[in-house]
Amino acid sequence: MNTGAHHSDGHAAQQPPLRSDAERNRERIIAAARTVFARDGLNASMASVAREAGVGIATMFRRFPTKEELVDAVFSDRMGAYADAVAVALDDPDPWNGFVGYIEAACAMQAADNGFADVLTMTFPTAKVLEQRRSEAYEAMLSLIERAKATGRLREDFDPSDLVLIHMANAGIVNATGDSAPDAWRRVVALLIQSLETPARGPLPASPGHEPLYKAMLRAGQATSTPPPGKSN
């Protein structure tokens, strides 16, 4: 990634302060983005992050040329915590309890941070670290789902893509209720979990499948992108 630092002959002694200043700006931007995205979600503009950080928009785009790079820096650790929640669920001796605990933990993470609520419903192909952790979590979830089905507690027609739908539904509730009803998501998640347990009251409609949902997540991620000054999408 281009740090935006400028180098000139005969001024090597000045390079460390420039690099230190660039790193301070980067950390200020990441901290500001955590605050802005948690409050306003990923539709918040890069300009609003720059204002929160107290830096100019040009500095913002030197540090993070694309919004995807900023999202990667801000949310990679939280996606790591999300993957850890799956690992904890797999360690539960009761696979059904582990499955339910994972859904509750993941939805709570969404409720605590509007930005992360959005992250779980979008995909960012250039955010390499974030997407690698998402992929690791997905592979673990496949095992979690199969184990929960093997207990006879999780309905057989549950599909892995249904987890994406749960995250989308929860993100919608979180974004809609905000401060007015901050615990509304808990009721919706409880309703969803109860609908997943056997015996099923009836068959489900066909799953949309992985590929259509991936395309929807990709479009949602692209819709949040902000072009650098002087450029357009």
Side-chain angles (χ1 to χ4, degrees):
M1 179 175 65
N2 178 16
T3 62
H6 296 283
H7 304 278
S8 59
D9 293 339
H11 296 281
Q14 297 180 6
Q15 291 179 8
L18 285 172
R19 289 196 296 268
S20 176
D21 183 63
E23 181 60 24
R24 284 196 299 271
N25 280 338
R26 184 178 187 277
E27 293 304 317
R28 287 170 64 187
I29 291 167
I30 291 173
R34 289 187 192 280
T35 298
V36 172
F37 290 153
R39 182 185 66 224
D40 302 331
L42 292 192
N43 284 322
S45 69
M46 295 284 270
S48 66
V49 174
R51 286 193 297 271
E52 180 76 20
V55 302
I57 194 67
T59 298
M60 162 69 75
F61 281 105
R62 280 198 300 271
R63 302 284 78 79
F64 297 98
T66 67
K67 197 171 190 179
E68 286 81 359
E69 290 182 52
L70 182 58
V71 168
D72 201 15
V74 171
F75 290 107
S76 290
D77 60 339
R78 299 188 189 189
M79 189 62 81
Y82 173 76
D84 290 343
V86 185
V88 169
L90 282 170
D91 286 339
D92 194 307
D94 183 328
W96 170 252
N97 285 340
F99 177 77
V100 169
Y102 153 71
I103 291 179
E104 292 173 340
C107 290
M109 292 174 69
Q110 286 185 294
D113 186 325
N114 284 334
F116 194 67
D118 290 338
V119 164
L120 288 186
T121 69
M122 302 175 183
T123 192
F124 306 90
T126 62
K128 300 301 183 183
V129 176
L130 184 148
E131 292 303 333
Q132 175 61 32
R133 291 177 177 172
R134 189 201 304 272
S135 178
E136 292 167 358
Y138 179 76
E139 291 302 317
M141 282 189 294
L142 295 179
S143 297
L144 181 62
I145 290 168
E146 290 308 310
R147 290 182 59 192
K149 285 184 177 181
T151 67
R153 300 285 298 280
L154 177 61
R155 57 187 302 155
E156 278 298 321
D157 54 358
F158 182 85
D159 186 84
S161 63
D162 292 328
L163 286 174
V164 178
L165 297 178
I166 289 172
H167 290 322
M168 287 179 171
N170 191 53
I173 295 298
V174 169
N175 290 326
T177 57
D179 295 333
S180 61
D183 289 330
W185 68 273
R186 296 183 185 277
R187 183 175 178 86
V188 175
V189 169
L191 289 168
L192 290 171
I193 289 172
Q194 290 179 30
S195 74
L196 300 178
E197 190 172 10
T198 57
R201 297 294 297 272
L204 293 172
S207 167
H210 175 79
E211 189 63 26
L213 283 182
Y214 175 80
K215 290 179 179 178
M217 293 171 69
L218 183 61
R219 283 196 302 271
Q222 291 170 339
T224 68
S225 297
T226 304
K231 296 183 179 181
S232 59
N233 288 330

